[in-house]
Amino acid sequence: MLLRQALERYFDFAGLHANWRTEILAGLTTFLTMAYIIFVNPAILSKTGMPIAAVTAATCLCAAFGSILMGFLARYPLALAPGMGLNAYFTYTVCLKMHIPWQTALGAVFLSGVVFLLLTFGGIRQLLVEAIPRELHASVAGGVGLFIAFIGLMESGIIVRDPDTTVALGNLRAPGTALALFGLLLIGVLQILRVRASILIGIAGTLLTGYVFGQVHLASQPFSFREITATAFHLDIPGALHTGALEIIFVFLFVDLFDNVGTLVAVTKKAGLITDDAKIPRLSRIFFADATATIAGSLAGTSTVCSYIESSAGVAAGGRTGIPAIVTGLCFLVSMFVAPLVGAIPSSATAPALIIVGALMLGSIAEVNWSDPTVAIPAFLTLVMIPLTYSIANGLGIGITSFALLRLFSGQSSRKDWLLFVLAALFVARFLFLSHH
């Protein structure tokens, strides 16, 4: 009882109106929506020659470590895992296109994590976050909502790729898509009935329905944690320090920085954890946790670790403290030993949750002052460019850059906006760099 009371004080249950049941269910919800990474990340990194079983163990371990550290230290419902996009860059560009050994690439990930730590201790990352105009906070959250809803629609097969129109309506009679539509209806009804665990119950109900109709298949052979020895501590730091690898470190650093910032703003905005003066409490602890997790990931044998936007599913389920992140981390620990069971969760069962959460996050755009072009234009660009470029960093960058330029040419800028213009310049440099490559 004393331990429980101490934990409730530490996580400020009273101030955040939190309770254990909701926080634990929120953690389970977050885990279920991002459990796909346990299999997607090894599938991508194994193309570099890394043993798939070792990467699976490393993925689970660093996701568990990062999420638990974030929950305990920063006390935020932010779960961490190897980042999608960065793992593809690691594999297809660094290792396959540039012919750099995966050991050297891991060394570059380690060094980018160290630079992250230095920037955190120097207060640089905190300044960059605070330079983001508060007028864009709501549009970032809304844009991320559209983004994850779009991902859910694609994963469910409701929307499919089309060579003529880019996207089109999928085959709604396909078994997986029909299952996702059932899940979408189930979660929607539960939301209307104000069931607190609606998203988790919806995922479980969809999963059970899929099992009954043969859409879920259980594997039998669990992974062994001992497999991690094939990648753990195999990183080549001296090789990564070679001049040719500096570009790789820069990309890992830059993309992770702004993807993390966008995710952080969106999730904390949705959770109501941003203060009235647009500050995010314990910001240095958040950055310390994700930088440390990236270093741990490189040591274990996986690409850059970052905060996951799927954390917003846990927030939508009521998560407000660090408990959901800790629960998610513990689930990843268990997954190391029952990975095939986790892999049995089809995307058609979790995609409806992403669609519903996206819809809930879109409500934040009501806070945007759409009558002021200086705000409305950057807010709109942020809102649409996040899903259309499939990147939180791109949408955030275009929004900030347009906001800075409009303030400059409308004569509304002042000396206190210097950091805003520095941030805009960094984004312009990033866009030029990406265009060059």
Side-chain angles (χ1 to χ4, degrees):
M1 180 64 74
L2 290 176
L3 177 61
R4 177 175 175 174
Q5 291 175 348
L7 288 173
E8 289 176 355
R9 284 196 300 271
Y10 178 73
F11 288 107
D12 192 21
F13 269 47
L16 296 171
H17 307 290
N19 63 77
W20 285 100
R21 177 180 176 273
T22 300
E23 295 297 299
I24 291 171
L25 289 176
L28 293 173
T29 300
T30 296
F31 172 73
L32 288 175
T33 57
M34 61 184 287
Y36 66 86
I37 196 62
I38 297 174
F39 293 89
V40 174
N41 191 55
I44 293 174
L45 294 186
S46 64
K47 292 178 173 59
T48 68
M50 301 175 73
I52 193 166
V55 180
T56 300
T59 299
C60 291
L61 181 63
C62 69
F65 172 78
S67 298
I68 293 172
L69 181 63
M70 179 69 75
F72 266 120
L73 184 66
R75 307 199 299 276
Y76 277 94
L78 283 168
L80 281 72
M84 291 295 294
L86 284 166
N87 54 7
Y89 175 78
F90 181 103
T91 297
Y92 298 108
T93 301
V94 177
C95 294
L96 299 183
K97 185 178 180 179
M98 300 175 67
H99 306 292
I100 290 177
W102 59 263
Q103 295 90 339
T104 304
L106 285 178
V109 173
F110 174 87
L111 291 173
S112 70
V114 172
V115 174
F116 262 144
L117 273 182
L118 295 176
L119 291 176
T120 299
F121 291 140
I124 305 300
R125 295 176 75 186
Q126 296 88 322
L127 285 174
L128 292 177
V129 172
E130 291 172 359
I132 298 175
R134 60 187 303 175
E135 292 90 344
L136 295 186
H137 284 188
S139 58
V140 170
V144 168
L146 286 177
F147 183 34
I148 62 176
F150 183 61
I151 292 172
L153 290 167
M154 292 288 288
E155 287 186 351
S156 64
I158 297 174
I159 288 177
V160 295
R161 299 179 188 276
D162 186 276
D164 298 319
T165 60
T166 306
V167 293
L169 185 66
N171 179 10
L172 303 185
R173 297 177 62 185
T177 305
L179 180 62
L181 289 171
F182 166 78
L184 191 60
L185 177 62
L186 177 59
I187 297 176
V189 171
L190 292 172
Q191 284 277 323
I192 293 171
L193 296 176
R194 299 189 181 279
V195 177
R196 289 299 298 270
S198 58
I199 295 177
L200 182 59
I201 293 172
I203 293 173
T206 307
L207 188 60
L208 179 61
T209 304
Y211 181 76
V212 170
F213 287 94
Q215 294 297 303
V216 177
H217 306 283
L218 301 180
S220 58
Q221 180 61 45
F223 287 96
S224 169
F225 179 66
R226 291 189 298 271
E227 303 286 354
I228 200 173
T229 56
T231 56
F233 302 106
H234 284 256
L235 68 168
D236 179 11
I237 298 174
L241 287 170
H242 189 270
T243 306
L246 292 179
E247 171 191 315
I248 303 167
I249 298 170
F250 174 79
V251 172
F252 282 144
L253 184 70
F254 220 75
V255 175
D256 187 29
L257 171 63
F258 292 110
D259 266 351
N260 263 329
V261 168
T263 300
L264 177 62
V265 169
V267 173
T268 52
K269 177 69 176 178
K270 175 63 182 175
L273 299 174
I274 296 181
T275 61
D276 293 336
D277 58 351
K279 303 287 186 181
I280 299 176
R282 304 181 301 281
L283 189 58
S284 60
R285 295 188 182 189
I286 296 173
F287 287 142
F288 175 82
D290 81 69
T292 305
T294 289
I295 293 173
S298 68
L299 294 173
T302 187
S303 52
T304 305
V305 176
C306 62
S307 54
Y308 259 58
I309 194 56
E310 283 82 357
S311 303
S312 56
V315 170
R320 293 294 180 270
T321 73
I323 298 297
I326 295 171
V327 171
T328 301
L330 293 175
C331 289
F332 273 112
L333 276 180
V334 174
S335 298
M336 285 193 292
F337 308 101
V338 292
L341 295 177
V342 176
I345 303 173
S347 59
S348 53
T350 56
L354 297 180
I355 297 169
I356 293 293
V357 170
L360 296 175
M361 293 186 70
L362 202 58
S364 66
I365 65 172
E367 301 174 19
V368 177
N369 182 8
W370 295 107
S371 63
D372 181 0
T374 309
V375 174
I377 294 172
F380 172 75
L381 290 174
T382 303
L383 185 69
V384 298
M385 293 305 286
I386 289 177
L388 293 183
T389 63
Y390 223 73
S391 168
I392 298 173
N394 286 342
L396 181 62
I398 291 171
I400 288 175
T401 303
S402 60
F403 185 83
L405 290 174
L406 287 175
R407 282 186 66 86
L408 177 65
F409 290 112
S410 65
Q412 297 181 35
S413 61
S414 62
R415 289 185 178 181
K416 65 179 182 180
D417 292 326
W418 68 272
L419 194 52
L420 169 67
F421 289 106
V422 169
L423 193 56
L426 287 174
F427 272 116
V428 170
R430 175 181 181 271
F431 292 137
L432 292 175
F433 177 83
L434 292 177
S435 300
H436 175 69
H437 290 270

